[in-house]
Amino acid sequence: MRSFFLLFSVLVCSLVSANDFHVPSDAEALSLLREALQGKSSHFEREVARLGNRTVEVQALVSLPGDIALMKKIAPDFAHWRDWLIKDINTPWSEDDSSYAIQFQDAIETEPNILTIPYRVNVPFFSRQRVRAFRMTANTKDTGVSILGEAILSENSPVKFTKGYMKVFPAENSKDTLWILVKALVQFRGWFLYEALPEKILLREMGDRVRRFMENYAAEEALLRAGKRSPANPSPRPVFKDED
């Protein structure tokens, strides 16, 4: 699988644009998941690739205990995401790790299917409050679950486009396991950020957050299985002043 991923990256180098963003069919996604996750009840792997044209791709392949019926209840409920999604989202996995450069502060459905995420860039000489809104789409009618997100960006944003998806299926031959494919593409407007961000940092800032998302989802599913939900987030909704 790794060799295929690298070969794909080379083939599309310098050709990637927002119009090239491809959400795979269920058959395509399942083929990739089957190759990586067959026989694994608990597994997480992520990769990052520079695709040329100032575009970075992050991919995660996940297998975890879960129920697709409960996933179909939790995943599309964007209004409830702030109650479970951001728990420990800024806590590094190891006590020896430094803080994340991006500190996520909330995840609020400010309008139907618009998820707004306030965050702070915690970099020396560039500490600033920012806001990013995403147009979200959920499909739970098929065998699995598909969640698509696209950033709503201004012309002043250093990012030209950000798109991503999550596809979830019940694992083959294991009704109590979920297979999950997550992929995101980010294209920068300029070359500086694209060249300056090492793959290790990109994996940590983006890949580790996917891992935390999955951990938080598993906790939320356990609550729902017991007939509960995470309590409403007591934090006041922030006032958005600085959008990009």
Side-chain angles (χ1 to χ4, degrees):
M1 188 276 294
R2 186 179 301 273
S3 60
F4 169 81
F5 185 75
L6 292 175
L7 176 60
F8 174 80
S9 300
V10 171
L11 291 174
V12 301
C13 183
S14 301
L15 300 178
V16 179
S17 70
N19 295 329
D20 295 322
F21 182 74
H22 169 66
V23 179
S25 67
D26 286 359
E28 291 171 327
L30 275 169
S31 177
L32 179 61
L33 289 166
R34 185 183 302 112
E35 181 181 354
L37 303 176
Q38 189 73 54
K40 299 175 182 177
S41 60
S42 182
H43 182 78
F44 179 87
E45 66 178 75
R46 73 261 199 265
E47 294 181 314
V48 63
R50 299 180 190 274
L51 304 185
N53 199 22
R54 308 180 307 281
T55 303
V56 173
E57 179 181 73
V58 175
Q59 175 177 276
L61 301 167
V62 186
S63 177
L64 79 165
D67 184 334
I68 193 64
L70 295 180
M71 169 66 80
K72 289 184 176 184
K73 293 181 180 180
I74 296 171
D77 188 3
F78 302 127
H80 195 62
W81 275 28
R82 77 183 303 249
D83 302 331
W84 60 269
L85 173 65
I86 63 171
K87 292 178 181 177
D88 298 321
I89 199 69
N90 298 317
T91 302
W93 283 98
S94 170
E95 294 181 357
D96 297 330
D97 288 342
S98 58
S99 298
Y100 293 112
I102 297 176
Q103 299 285 306
F104 295 108
Q105 298 171 322
D106 216 324
I108 306 168
E109 190 182 43
T110 48
E111 300 177 33
N113 298 320
I114 300 295
L115 195 67
T116 300
I117 300 178
Y119 64 97
R120 177 170 289 279
V121 180
N122 228 2
V123 178
F125 310 111
F126 192 70
S127 180
R128 189 177 181 186
Q129 184 75 28
R130 310 292 291 182
V131 173
R132 180 77 77 228
F134 292 84
R135 185 175 291 105
M136 307 295 292
T137 305
N139 181 356
T140 61
K141 296 180 181 179
D142 299 325
T143 304
V145 174
S146 293
I147 303 291
L148 279 68
E150 179 178 1
I152 302 171
L153 301 168
S154 71
E155 294 182 356
N156 297 325
S157 173
V159 175
K160 188 172 183 179
F161 79 83
T162 299
K163 296 185 179 183
Y165 64 81
M166 178 176 74
K167 302 202 73 158
V168 188
F169 306 94
E172 296 177 350
N173 304 318
S174 179
K175 64 178 182 179
D176 299 322
T177 301
L178 298 176
W179 285 350
I180 305 172
L181 169 62
V182 179
K183 184 171 288 190
L185 258 66
V186 180
Q187 185 181 48
F188 299 99
R189 291 190 185 277
W191 285 99
F192 176 76
L193 287 176
Y194 175 75
E195 295 291 349
L197 292 172
E199 281 85 351
K200 183 177 180 180
I201 298 298
L202 290 168
L203 273 178
R204 184 168 182 267
E205 293 287 332
M206 301 171 73
D208 282 6
R209 264 40 185 279
V210 174
R211 186 173 184 176
R212 185 70 72 182
F213 175 94
M214 296 303 166
E215 181 181 78
N216 289 348
Y217 166 79
E220 184 66 9
E221 183 180 298
L223 284 174
L224 191 60
R225 197 185 300 274
K228 304 176 183 179
R229 292 297 298 266
S230 290
N233 190 330
S235 303
R237 291 162 59 104
V239 177
F240 302 122
K241 296 180 179 180
D242 183 15
E243 299 190 10
D244 64 359

